[in-house]
Amino acid sequence: MKALADYAQLGFDGISVDEEIAIAEYIDENKEVCPVELYRGMMVDRDFEIEVGQEIEFENTFASFDEDIDTAVKFATRRNHGVVLVLDEDIEGLPVYMHASTCAGETEWLIPAQKFVITEVWEEDSVMFARIKPS
């Protein structure tokens, strides 16, 4: 799927809304259960607050997570302070690296848009971690 390959290389900035919808449909048709924890790094301001019980939702039709915690931590801390969301295994999604030839050596998964609830929050070094699950 060309749109998926484009997304894998350029992110949301490299695809149109129609392509995003086509990828979301492809994810839905080809999703599988993820056997490992997934991580998503987010850059935030130092005064960013997050708490157990809070619901979060992503703005796009799917969200990118990674099997590699170091990848998420590096992304989250590009501005010195960040949050890493931790998503337990057994969530359904699409392993991009198995569907796009442009992802050699990567471990990215696309998870369909949904609401998540924060179940645990902790901090290590200057990185805040938040365990989430579908609400």
Side-chain angles (χ1 to χ4, degrees):
M1 170 182 227
K2 182 179 178 337
L4 185 60
D6 290 346
Y7 168 81
Q9 289 299 300
L10 305 168
F12 284 104
D13 292 338
I15 61 172
S16 69
V17 172
D18 290 341
E19 289 170 317
E20 179 181 340
I21 292 167
I23 293 170
E25 290 170 354
Y26 185 83
I27 293 168
D28 193 49
E29 293 166 2
N30 295 281
K31 63 187 170 191
E32 55 187 79
V33 175
C34 180
V36 297
E37 276 188 340
L38 295 174
Y39 309 95
R40 177 180 174 91
M42 298 178 3
M43 295 177 283
V44 297
D45 295 328
R46 186 161 289 290
D47 61 349
F48 179 81
E49 294 184 18
I50 196 166
E51 60 186 39
V52 172
Q54 181 180 344
E55 278 196 343
I56 59 172
E57 192 172 7
F58 300 106
E59 63 186 48
N60 296 96
T61 56
F62 53 87
S64 173
F65 284 80
D66 205 285
E67 293 177 10
D68 183 7
I69 191 170
D70 292 333
T71 298
V73 170
K74 284 178 189 173
F75 186 85
T77 57
R78 291 191 311 181
R79 289 190 197 152
N80 298 326
H81 192 73
V83 173
V84 173
L85 300 178
V86 180
L87 186 56
D88 288 333
E89 67 273 3
D90 297 332
I91 188 80
E92 288 188 328
L94 183 81
V96 180
Y97 57 91
M98 295 180 73
H99 293 263
S101 61
T102 55
C103 295
E106 294 186 19
T107 53
E108 181 181 10
W109 283 70
L110 300 180
I111 306 302
Q114 55 191 293
K115 288 185 181 180
F116 294 92
V117 64
I118 297 168
T119 60
E120 180 182 5
V121 176
W122 70 98
E123 190 164 341
E124 293 177 23
D125 300 321
S126 63
V127 182
M128 189 179 313
F129 290 83
R131 184 169 302 279
I132 62 174
K133 68 176 186 177
S135 59

